[in-house]
């Protein structure tokens, strides 16, 4: 009862028991090279981050539940996929408070907060090195996308979670270009970015947003903050977006309306 689904699957696989369970619906967890399923709650619809993203942004006013939404999204990924198929790095500029509940995930391979001093610089170096490493692996195997790499090759998808992205991008001038690079190159390399910010306009550039198709909007003060980035909102949703309750969101993806 104290194990996550990811931990249980890891144990079952190494005990040789997973083959017996394939008929019971666990096949989805076994194909993270092509799909990456996630949801915001056990009862909500599921989305494939690979197809709908490959990156996600959550934005909304203070108190709209951004950190809770980010946490729910990452926890759903952790429930579906074991640490050998999915790993994550947490970058939290609320002193670690925003993403605290994710610190215990077995998938976490790194955590950086604004209390770390040189943490942002280390993150830049680490992300750049990881992109190069993955490019070398794909080149070695003669493929152009992580989904084409043989399953026996150890190459888990990497999810980079950034809470309060606007603070990071404002205070570290070198980070916008580095983040743009990750967003542009991440799809084929199996690197996904999930970030939150109070506002998209003024924080994320149009070039960044061009590579972020999964967009999750909570309550905003000005409805233009939603309409600018989810232009297909119905009239009823346009009226509602300024009055969403904490945790309520409007979601759009690459193929979602």
């Amino acid at each position: 009862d104290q194990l996550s689904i990811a931990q249980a699957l890891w144990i079952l696989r190494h005990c040789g028991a997973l083959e017996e369970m394939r008929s019971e619906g666990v096949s989805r967890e076994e194909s993270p090279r092509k799909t990456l399923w996630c949801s915001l709650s056990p009862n909500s619809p599921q989305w494939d981050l690979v197809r709908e993203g490959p990156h996600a942004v959550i934005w909304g006013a203070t108190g709209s539940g951004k950190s809770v939404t980010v946490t729910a999204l990452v926890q759903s990924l952790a429930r579906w996929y074991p640490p050998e198929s999915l790993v994550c790095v947490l970058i939290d500029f609320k002193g670690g408070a925003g993403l605290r509940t994710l610190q215990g995930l077995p998938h976490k391979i790194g955590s950086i907060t604004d209390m770390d001093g040189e943490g942002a610089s280390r993150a830049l170096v680490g992300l750049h090195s990881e992109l190069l490493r993955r490019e070398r692996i794909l080149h070695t195997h003669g493929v152009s996308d992580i989904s084409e790499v043989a399953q026996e090759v150890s190459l888990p998808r990497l999810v980079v979670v950034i809470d309060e992205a606007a603070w990071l991008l404002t205070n570290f001038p070198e980070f916008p270009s580095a983040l743009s690079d990750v967003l542009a190159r991440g799809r084929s390399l199996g690197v996904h970015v999930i970030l939150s910010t109070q506002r998209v306009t003024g924080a994320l550039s149009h070039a960044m947003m061009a590579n972020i198709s999964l967009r999750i909007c909570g309550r905003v003060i000005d409805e233009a903050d939603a309409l600018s980035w989810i232009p297909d909102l119905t009239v009823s949703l346009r009226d509602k977006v300024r009055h969403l309750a904490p945790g309520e969101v409007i979601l759009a993806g690459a193929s979602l309306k």
Side-chain angles (χ1 to χ4, degrees):
D1 290 344
Q2 298 180 15
L3 295 177
S4 69
I5 291 178
Q7 291 170 317
L9 286 172
W10 186 90
I11 293 172
L12 289 169
R13 181 178 295 104
H14 285 266
C15 290
L18 194 58
E19 291 297 324
E20 302 174 6
M21 299 176 62
R22 289 190 181 275
S23 62
E24 299 183 16
V26 298
S27 59
R28 178 174 291 178
E29 294 91 327
E30 290 299 287
S31 58
R33 289 284 169 79
K34 294 185 177 180
T35 59
L36 204 57
W37 295 98
C38 57
S39 63
L40 294 180
S41 73
N43 298 320
S44 74
Q46 296 172 350
W47 309 283
D48 177 10
L49 184 58
V50 175
R51 184 181 67 174
E52 301 298 344
H55 313 293
V57 59
I58 297 95
W59 77 96
T62 300
S64 61
K66 295 186 298 297
S67 295
V68 173
T69 302
V70 171
T71 297
L73 201 60
V74 177
Q75 286 178 332
S76 74
L77 290 169
R79 284 195 297 269
W80 277 117
Y81 302 101
E84 63 202 60
S85 299
L86 174 74
V87 293
C88 64
V89 172
L90 309 179
I91 304 177
D92 184 355
F93 285 89
K94 290 182 180 178
L99 304 178
R100 181 176 293 126
T101 55
L102 299 177
Q103 293 293 335
L105 288 179
H107 307 69
K108 189 196 74 173
I109 59 172
S111 179
I112 301 167
T113 76
D114 56 346
M115 310 300 286
D116 289 340
E118 298 299 320
S121 297
R122 292 199 305 273
L124 285 175
V125 174
L127 285 174
H128 179 69
S129 298
E130 180 62 16
L131 292 178
L132 292 177
R133 185 184 76 87
R134 288 170 177 259
E135 286 179 334
R136 286 194 295 268
I137 292 175
L138 265 60
H139 177 74
T140 298
H141 291 272
V143 299
S144 59
D145 190 274
I146 188 175
S147 63
E148 301 170 343
V149 177
Q151 288 293 326
E152 58 267 21
V153 177
S154 178
L155 188 62
R157 286 190 177 270
L158 168 63
V159 176
V160 180
V161 187
I162 305 176
D163 204 13
E164 296 297 329
W167 192 97
L168 174 68
L169 296 170
T170 300
N171 288 274
F172 294 89
E174 68 275 25
F175 222 98
S177 61
L179 179 58
S180 294
D181 187 41
V182 175
L183 293 173
R185 297 163 62 193
R187 178 187 293 273
S188 62
L189 301 176
V191 178
H192 305 268
V193 179
I194 298 176
L195 51 85
S196 75
T197 180
Q198 289 191 23
R199 296 188 62 178
V200 172
T201 304
L204 304 180
S205 68
H206 284 271
M208 291 178 184
M209 289 299 289
N211 290 300
I212 306 176
S213 294
L214 187 58
R215 303 176 180 186
I216 304 174
C217 178
R219 178 178 57 83
V220 294
I221 303 300
D222 184 349
E223 67 180 31
D225 290 341
L227 294 176
S228 296
W229 305 106
I230 310 179
D232 297 329
L233 287 181
T234 63
V235 174
S236 61
L237 287 178
R238 291 182 186 187
D239 294 337
K240 187 179 181 181
V241 71
R242 291 186 294 108
H243 307 288
L244 293 172
E248 282 189 323
V249 298
I250 295 171
L251 183 144
S255 59
L256 294 172
K257 297 293 185 181

